[in-house]
């Protein structure tokens, strides 16, 4: 699951990104409003953490522009301490929630999970493909009654496939969803993670739900298809 942090305090945003990456998220950073807006328009983020005070475009302008363009990505706005007018304007411009600085990391992550769970009105909270169930909010995966433990990267790849079940998803599209923009390695790294997923999801159950579409990518199918 990929997140975007737009904040001009580089040390703060780097620390926040470090924590989120340790929790299994892919995280991109932008330190000014225009760069953040460009990234938000380009990549399919699960949520955006957006500061108000930014060079270039402020957070209100970034949020308003995304909403005008039809984006439904959940946005958590960072506001000034006791800034009730900041909070009101954040909601008026289209933010889904706000949190005042300084804040608890635990609270911020809980708010993000709640936003992702509710989604932008189009993201299903629990993904079901045949007898495979995936819950992005709790990071739990089950096949039938059996819980399957996945790494953060494996979960991100499976979620990408599950959201487009029965459709072909290219390696590049998987990279765009499950890795952040810092990654500059070989696209074939996806193959390594898909093989590991098959060993957990398919082999023990005698299934072949993750299909390779030669020359195109991968497709997740119901196990009984």
């Amino acid at each position: 699951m990929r997140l975007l942090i737009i904040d001009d305090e580089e040390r703060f945003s780097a620390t926040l990104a470090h924590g989120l990456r340790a929790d299994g998220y892919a995280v991109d950073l932008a330190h000014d409003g225009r760069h953040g807006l460009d990234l938000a328009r380009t990549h399919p983020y699960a949520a955006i953490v957006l500061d108000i005070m930014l060079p270039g475009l402020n957070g209100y302008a970034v949020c308003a522009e995304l909403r005008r363009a039809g984006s439904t990505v959940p946005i958590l706005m960072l506001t000034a301490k006791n800034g009730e007018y900041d909070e009101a304007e954040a909601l008026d411009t289209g933010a889904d929630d706000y949190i005042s600085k300084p804040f608890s990391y635990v609270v911020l992550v809980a708010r993000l999970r709640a936003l992702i769970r509710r989604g932008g009105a189009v993201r299903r909270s629990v993904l079901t493909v045949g007898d495979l169930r995936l819950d992005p909010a709790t990071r739990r995966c089950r096949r039938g009654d059996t819980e399957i433990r996945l790494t953060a990267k494996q979960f991100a790849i499976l979620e990408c496939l599950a959201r487009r079940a029965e459709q072909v998803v290219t390696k590049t599209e998987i990279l765009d969803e499950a890795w952040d923009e810092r990654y500059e390695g070989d696209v074939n790294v996806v193959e390594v993670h898909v093989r590991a997923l098959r060993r957990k999801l398919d082999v023990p159950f005698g299934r072949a739900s993750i299909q390779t579409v030669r020359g195109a990518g991968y497709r997740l199918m119901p196990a009984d298809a």
Side-chain angles (χ1 to χ4, degrees), residues 16 37 47 53 69 88 104 115 123 156 161 181 192 203 208 216 224:
L16 179 55
L37 182 59
M53 302 301 294
S104 159
L115 288 182
R123 296 177 72 90
L161 294 172
E181 68 171 354
V192 177
V203 174
D224 56 355

Side-chain angles (χ1 to χ4, degrees), residues 135-148:
D135 186 345
T138 61
R139 304 294 184 85
R140 299 182 72 178
C141 173
R142 304 183 71 87
R143 186 175 288 286
D145 295 326
T146 304
E147 184 160 354
I148 302 169

Side-chain angles (χ1 to χ4, degrees), residues 5-18:
I5 299 172
I6 309 176
D7 193 299
D8 64 335
E9 296 180 42
E10 296 190 20
R11 182 176 296 180
F12 162 79
S13 54
T15 300
L16 179 55
H18 178 77

Side-chain angles (χ1 to χ4, degrees), residues 19-93:
L20 290 168
R21 287 171 183 142
D23 283 339
Y25 296 96
V27 183
D28 290 341
L29 297 176
H31 301 304
D32 66 79
R34 294 191 185 281
H35 182 210
L37 182 59
D38 288 343
L39 287 176
R41 286 168 165 168
T42 304
H43 301 290
Y45 293 109
I48 295 174
V49 178
L50 176 62
D51 193 25
I52 291 175
M53 302 301 294
L54 294 168
L57 292 175
N58 65 31
Y60 300 134
V62 172
C63 183
E65 183 58 35
L66 287 172
R67 295 309 186 222
R68 274 196 297 270
S71 173
T72 59
V73 61
I75 295 175
L76 177 63
M77 192 85 85
L78 304 182
T79 70
K81 185 178 181 180
N82 299 324
E84 60 178 306
Y85 294 105
D86 289 345
E87 295 162 1
E89 189 166 354
L91 298 175
D92 286 344
T93 55

